[in-house]
Amino acid sequence: MARTVVLLTAGIAVLLTAFAWPSVRSSVHDVPIAVAGPAALAKRTSAALDQRLPGGFEITEVADTAAAERLIRDRQVYGAIDLSSGSPQVIIASAASAAVAQTLQGIATALGQAQDAGPAAAVRDLVALPADDPRGAGLAAGALPLAMGGLLAGLLLTTLVRGTGRRVAGALAFAVTGGLAVAAILQFWLGSLSGHYWASSGAIALTVAATSLSILGLASLLGNAGFGLGAATVMLIGNPLSGAATAPEMLPGWSGALGQLLPPGAGGQLLRSTAFFDGRGAAHSLIVLVAWLVLGLTLCLAGGLRARRAATRAAGAPSAPARPGSGNGGHSGKGGPSEPKTPLTLR
């Protein structure tokens, strides 16, 4: 009993750490933004930003507003400070990250006060979230169901379906139907997505397929230990470090970069690219998800081949010989055939 209590305590401690640590330690660091305007003014502004938030931004200096907007639409930066006109202007993209957009709005207030230009510099949302979900709550909340959907698909298919090929087909079919259903809910009911419905459905389907097939492959090759490893990777590491609620750059230390190498993080970024940026900036996420998909298929194939070889060896093994003296026509303990015994009669 004591061992069970210790294991349960350790488990709840790990769960709390996995889900609370990224949120509590979230902050602005190395967030890519652009500064547009004359070189001397851009350098002074960059220095002022670094003094206000040391290490908070990774700044790219560009010549004009058009260059800054191009970087935002290509998802190379989250926003820009435009100094090319008479008064400073802050360009945000709330669809890329509502949390970063809020931070940049605070920078706009500070710029306005520093330049004696009123209470705040002008703020323009270049790529805005839909009016029905201006905080991006649907995207943030959708990360956990997607991860759990892939996990449950791996569990149920492993438990209820026999044969590697049928399990893989089931996972792919579920990915397609799940992608269509989730995209429809987010776009047509909750209003959390805009853009092309089919592109968003494809992004969700690829995320679910990469998750479920990787878990299926691990379970096929390693059994229950493989399923536990896949579940821990997706739920305890991938989901908290996905950056879906804020941005990968706002997570502590290296955790944001790690999260983008796992299906939940890559899937969330891919969905933002397809829903709001016409697919721009999706290359890294696509590569990550396709890699997990191929890994899962490879592991499923390896597990199926191993199971087939084991079945072949079992079928070809010689049957066990009958035990001496058992059954009709058995042998005696001395190895010779047993002879019938005639009863002894007395005369």
Side-chain angles (χ1 to χ4, degrees):
M1 179 178 177
R3 181 181 300 177
T4 303
V5 171
V6 170
L7 288 175
L8 290 173
T9 304
I12 197 171
V14 169
L15 285 172
L16 177 63
T17 301
F19 283 90
W21 172 68
S23 299
V24 172
R25 294 291 183 261
S26 178
S27 63
V28 177
H29 59 87
D30 295 329
V31 174
I33 65 171
V35 175
L41 185 56
K43 289 187 182 300
R44 286 201 303 271
T45 303
S46 300
L49 288 174
D50 191 58
Q51 184 177 4
R52 180 180 176 84
L53 286 174
F57 299 104
E58 182 181 303
I59 299 173
T60 300
E61 298 179 5
V62 294
D64 52 25
T65 305
E69 291 183 353
R70 186 163 54 251
L71 290 178
I72 294 172
R73 294 187 186 277
D74 290 341
R75 300 207 69 190
Q76 297 184 35
V77 299
Y78 283 93
I81 299 174
D82 185 9
L83 306 170
S84 58
S85 59
S87 59
Q89 181 185 48
V90 175
I91 307 173
I92 63 175
S94 59
S97 170
V100 174
Q102 185 177 3
T103 300
L104 291 176
Q105 286 175 329
I107 296 296
T109 302
L111 282 173
Q113 294 172 351
Q115 305 253 349
D116 295 326
V123 176
R124 178 162 60 95
D125 199 343
L126 183 64
V127 188
L129 285 163
D132 291 336
D133 188 9
R135 296 180 293 110
L139 281 175
L144 181 59
L146 285 181
M148 289 188 64
L151 182 64
L152 289 175
L155 174 62
L156 292 178
L157 289 170
T158 301
T159 305
L160 302 178
V161 178
R162 292 185 177 275
T164 301
R166 295 180 64 190
R167 290 172 180 171
V168 170
L172 294 176
F174 168 68
V176 172
T177 58
L180 294 172
V182 171
I185 292 172
L186 288 176
Q187 185 156 349
F188 302 128
W189 181 24
L190 301 179
S192 299
L193 301 178
S194 59
H196 299 290
Y197 166 71
W198 296 107
S200 298
S201 300
I204 295 171
L206 181 58
T207 304
V208 173
T211 304
S212 58
L213 283 174
S214 59
I215 291 175
L216 266 180
L218 287 170
S220 176
L221 195 62
L222 303 176
N224 291 334
F227 181 80
L229 177 61
T233 302
V234 171
M235 294 301 298
L236 296 183
I237 302 176
N239 189 68
L241 302 185
S242 66
T246 55
E249 292 83 2
M250 295 188 73
L251 297 177
W254 44 263
S255 59
L258 174 61
Q260 295 307 297
L261 297 176
L262 300 174
Q269 291 299 312
L270 178 61
L271 183 57
R272 286 185 186 271
S273 292
T274 56
F276 304 113
F277 295 89
D278 293 327
R280 298 185 185 95
H284 177 269
S285 300
L286 279 172
I287 292 172
V288 170
L289 291 173
V290 170
W292 279 99
L293 183 68
V294 172
L295 174 63
L297 289 172
T298 303
L299 292 177
C300 286
L301 179 61
L305 290 176
R306 190 178 69 172
R308 191 175 296 113
R309 285 197 298 266
T312 302
R313 286 196 300 267
S319 58
R323 292 190 307 170
S326 64
N328 294 331
H331 292 77
S332 65
K334 296 295 183 179
S338 59
E339 297 181 2
K341 298 180 179 180
T342 56
L344 181 64
T345 57
L346 298 176
R347 294 185 179 269

